[in-house]
Amino acid sequence: MHGGSRGWSAALTRKGIWSRLRLTSLRLRLVVVFGLVALTAAVSASGIAYWLNREAVLTRAQDAVLRDFESEMENRASALPDHPTQDELQRAAGLMATGGQHFTVLLVAEDADGRTVYGGSGGLNGFTLGDVPESLRTAVNKEQPLDSGNKSPYHLYWQRIVDDGTPYLVAGTRVIGGGPTGYMLKSLEPEAKDLNSLAWSLGIATGLALIGSALLAQAAATTVLKPVHRLGVAARRLGEGKLDTRLRVSGTDELADLSRTFNSAAEALEKRVDDMAAREAASRRFVADMSHELRTPLTAITAVTEVLEEELDSESGGLDPMIEPAVRLVVSETRRLNDLVENLMEVTRFDAGTARLVLDDVDIADQITACIDARAWLDAVELDAERGIHARIDPRRLDVILANLIGNALKHGGSPVRVSVRVEESTDEVVIRVRDHGPGIPEDVLPHVFDRFYKASASRPRSEGSGLGLSIALENAHIHGGEITAANSPDGGAVFALRLPRDVSEVVSAAEGETAGGAAQGTTRGATEKGDA
C-alpha cells in the first residue's frame, strides 16, 4: 500500500485479538470446522483401529488358550478311566492347569457308583460348575447327530463373561467315546489392560490431532483472512474519503487479484472524484466571477432604476402612463436581480470557505426588534422575548437569518408570525422559534426546504424569491456552530427553530485553527510536489 500503511496496520493489530474471539467471525468458524473434521476423522480412525486391534488381540489369546485346553483334554482327560475317582480327576485337572496358558480346569464325571464327582485345579478362588453359564453347559452336554459334515457328537464351546469388572474366557467340551467333561476358565485381564493402554494411546493421538488441526486452521485462517481484513480496513479508509488508499499486492492467487481489482477501483474512483472536484471548483469560480462581473453593470442599472422610481413617485407625473407599468416591472426585476447577485456571492463565500464571523455581544430581543423594524414588519410579527438575553455572535449574519426566516413565514405562511426566544441552560444555547399560522409545509417538501433553488411548487417556478434565502440562513447558522430545523406545529402552521451557542468564540477559534492547518498542509504538499518534479 502507499505511505501510511504502517499506521493502520498497528490499529489492525490492536483490534486483532477481539476480532478473532467474536463468535460470528469467519476465523472462529474456520477453526471450528477444521476441528470438527479432524475430530470426526480421528475418532473414526481411532475407533476402527481399536476395534480391529481388540478383535485381533482377543482372537489370538482365545485361540491359543482353546488350542492348549483342547490338547490337554485329549492327552490327559481322555487317559482317565470311564468312571474315575475324585482324586484322579483332581490330579488330572492340576496337571492340565500347569500348561503354558495358566488357565483353571474343572473336570466332571461319574464314579463307579453313579455319583457325580468333581475335580478342579483349585485356582481363582475355586472354579465351580456354577461359574459356567447355563447356556454353555447345555451346549457342551448336547450330543450332535453325526453326518457327512459332522464327524463328532461333542464339540468345544466357549464364551466370554465379565465378573466384577474382570473379563474371562470360559470353554467346555466332553471326551469323545466316554469320559469326563472338562471346563476351563481363563482370565483376560492382561489383554484388557493392553486394550485399555491402546485406547488411551488412541485418545491421546485424537487429542493431538485435534490440537494440530486447530493450529493448522489458525494458520490457514490467518493466511486467508489477513488479506481480507486488510481489504476491509482499506475499504473503510476509502469510505472515509482517503482516496489515496492502496493495497500492497504480492502473489498471483485470487486474493492478489482481488487486491489488484481494489487498487484499480480506488484509482478510478480517485480520478473520478478529482475530476468532479475540479468541475465543481470551476463551476464555483464561474459563479463567483459572474457575480463579480455583474455587479458593475448592475450598479449602473440600479442607479438608473432609482431615478426612474423617483419619477414614478413624483407628483409631477413625468412618465408617460403607457410606459409606467413597464418601468415598474424594470424596477422590481432589477431589485430581484440585485438580490440574486448578492445571494450568489454569499453562497460562493460559503462554498470557498472564506465566510468569516465578526463577533459582538448582542441582546437577542433588541436584535430581533431591529430586524423587524428595519423591514416594517411590526404590525405582522409578534415578539415573545425577554430583554437581557445576551449572546456573543455575528449581528449582521443573525440579521440575515432572522430576515429570511421571518420573511419566508410572512410570504408563505399566515399572519400573525410569532417569534419566541428561550435559553436552554443544559446546552447553553439560544433557541429562536419562528411560527406562522398558515397551512404548514407539505411532508414531501420538508426534507428540501433548505435546498438551494428548491421550489415547493413545480407549476410556479418563477417567484419573487431567489430560492437561496433559507439555504443562506442555514449556512449562517452552521458557521455559528448552530442549526435550523423545520417542522409543522400540531396547532397548524410551520415552525422554524434556530439554535445558536451563546458564545461562538470557541467555534471561531476552531475554524481559524483548521484554516491555518490546511494552509500549512497545502504549503508542505506544494513543496513536496516541487521537490519530486
Side-chain angles (χ1 to χ4, degrees):
M1 183 178 290
H2 289 176
S5 61
R6 294 181 180 177
W8 64 266
S9 63
L12 183 151
T13 303
R14 289 193 297 269
K15 297 179 180 178
I17 298 176
W18 171 245
S19 64
R20 292 170 189 165
L21 296 179
R22 289 183 303 174
L23 296 178
T24 57
S25 68
L26 183 58
R27 180 186 301 274
L28 181 58
R29 281 183 281 173
L30 282 174
V31 172
V32 170
V33 170
F34 268 75
L36 290 177
V37 171
L39 181 62
T40 302
V43 169
S44 300
S46 299
I48 294 173
Y50 177 79
W51 182 77
L52 293 176
N53 281 276
R54 178 179 180 275
E55 291 301 315
V57 169
L58 293 179
T59 301
R60 184 167 58 250
Q62 173 182 293
D63 291 345
V65 171
L66 293 178
R67 281 197 305 268
D68 195 11
F69 174 64
E70 190 174 19
S71 175
E72 292 293 334
M73 286 293 294
E74 291 178 358
N75 295 332
R76 299 189 185 277
S78 61
L80 293 172
D82 293 340
H83 301 285
T85 63
Q86 186 173 4
D87 293 336
E88 291 175 334
L89 290 177
Q90 195 78 28
R91 264 194 316 272
L95 292 173
M96 293 174 63
T98 58
Q101 297 298 328
H102 303 290
F103 45 72
T104 302
V105 177
L106 175 64
L107 296 177
V108 181
E110 290 184 357
D111 59 7
D113 297 331
R115 293 178 303 175
T116 301
V117 292
Y118 303 90
S121 59
L124 296 177
N125 299 324
F127 177 39
T128 64
L129 195 60
D131 297 326
V132 180
E134 180 69 26
S135 58
L136 181 61
R137 295 201 302 263
T138 302
V140 168
N141 294 317
K142 184 177 181 180
E143 185 176 0
Q144 303 292 332
L146 301 177
D147 54 26
S148 59
N150 183 25
K151 305 297 184 182
S152 175
Y154 298 103
H155 299 277
L156 174 66
Y157 295 94
W158 58 270
Q159 185 176 346
R160 295 175 191 161
I161 63 173
V162 178
D163 186 14
D164 293 333
T166 303
Y168 293 96
L169 177 65
V170 181
T173 187
R174 290 189 64 172
V175 176
I176 301 173
T181 301
Y183 294 98
M184 176 273 301
L185 180 68
K186 168 64 176 177
S187 173
L188 297 178
E189 187 174 7
E191 287 75 13
K193 290 182 178 180
D194 292 341
L195 291 175
N196 287 336
S197 299
L198 176 62
W200 275 104
S201 300
L202 292 175
I204 293 173
T206 301
L208 293 176
L210 185 60
I211 295 174
S213 67
L215 295 177
L216 289 176
Q218 173 70 12
T222 300
T223 303
V224 174
L225 297 182
K226 191 174 182 179
V228 174
H229 192 64
R230 286 179 176 173
L231 179 62
V233 174
R236 284 193 293 272
R237 287 170 56 85
L238 198 65
E240 294 170 357
K242 300 173 183 177
L243 302 180
D244 60 341
T245 302
R246 299 292 185 273
L247 287 172
R248 183 175 60 253
V249 180
S250 60
T252 58
D253 56 5
E254 289 80 0
L255 291 174
D257 292 339
L258 181 61
S259 299
R260 293 189 187 92
T261 303
F262 174 85
N263 289 342
S264 300
E267 184 177 357
L269 179 62
E270 184 179 16
K271 185 177 183 303
R272 179 67 61 86
V273 171
D274 289 342
D275 293 342
M276 292 178 63
R279 286 196 295 268
E280 184 179 2
S283 176
R284 289 176 179 174
R285 284 196 303 270
F286 169 75
V287 173
D289 294 343
M290 180 189 68
S291 301
H292 281 287
E293 292 297 329
L294 284 175
R295 293 193 69 181
T296 301
L298 189 59
T299 302
I301 295 174
T302 301
V304 173
T305 56
E306 289 177 353
V307 174
L308 294 176
E309 189 174 12
E310 291 177 359
E311 290 293 330
L312 287 173
D313 295 336
S314 67
E315 297 180 356
S316 61
L319 291 178
D320 189 342
M322 297 294 293
I323 65 172
E324 182 177 341
V327 172
R328 292 188 182 278
L329 178 62
V330 169
V331 171
S332 63
E333 292 300 314
T334 300
R335 288 176 178 170
R336 289 186 66 248
L337 180 60
N338 193 46
D339 291 341
L340 177 61
V341 171
E342 291 296 330
N343 288 339
L344 286 175
M345 292 187 66
E346 187 72 5
V347 167
T348 56
R349 293 189 191 99
F350 285 121
D351 291 342
T354 58
R356 294 290 179 267
L357 295 176
V358 180
L359 302 182
D360 194 4
D361 290 327
V362 174
D363 187 302
I364 300 298
D366 290 344
Q367 186 70 24
I368 298 176
T369 302
C371 174
I372 296 172
D373 186 38
R375 292 162 180 83
W377 290 340
L378 289 175
D379 295 336
V381 178
E382 297 179 355
L383 179 59
D384 179 15
E386 297 181 0
R387 298 190 179 276
I389 300 177
H390 291 271
R392 184 167 181 77
I393 56 178
D394 188 327
R396 184 186 71 83
R397 295 190 181 276
L398 177 60
D399 182 76
V400 172
I401 297 174
L402 294 172
N404 278 294
L405 295 181
I406 299 174
N408 185 76
L410 291 172
K411 185 184 300 181
H412 301 289
S415 297
V417 172
R418 183 179 180 83
V419 180
S420 62
V421 180
R422 297 290 183 270
V423 176
E424 289 191 355
E425 300 294 343
S426 60
T427 58
D428 197 26
E429 289 180 335
V430 176
V431 182
I432 303 174
R433 288 185 172 86
V434 179
R435 179 192 170 189
D436 60 51
H437 289 77
I441 305 173
E443 293 298 328
D444 59 332
V445 176
L446 269 176
H448 307 286
V449 292
F450 296 105
D451 293 351
R452 296 178 183 177
F453 301 107
Y454 181 76
K455 302 291 183 179
S457 176
S459 62
R460 298 175 58 192
R462 179 179 179 83
S463 64
E464 296 181 5
S466 63
L468 292 173
L470 291 179
S471 174
I472 291 175
L474 183 63
E475 294 289 351
N476 277 304
H478 286 169
I479 200 174
H480 279 85
E483 185 61 64
I484 303 178
T485 57
N488 288 316
S489 173
D491 300 328
V495 180
F496 286 82
L498 168 65
R499 293 176 176 271
L500 295 177
R502 296 190 66 178
D503 190 352
V504 193
S505 302
E506 296 181 359
V507 177
V508 174
S509 300
E512 291 176 352
E514 291 179 0
T515 303
Q521 183 179 1
T523 305
T524 304
R525 182 176 179 182
T528 303
E529 291 175 350
K530 182 177 180 181
D532 292 341

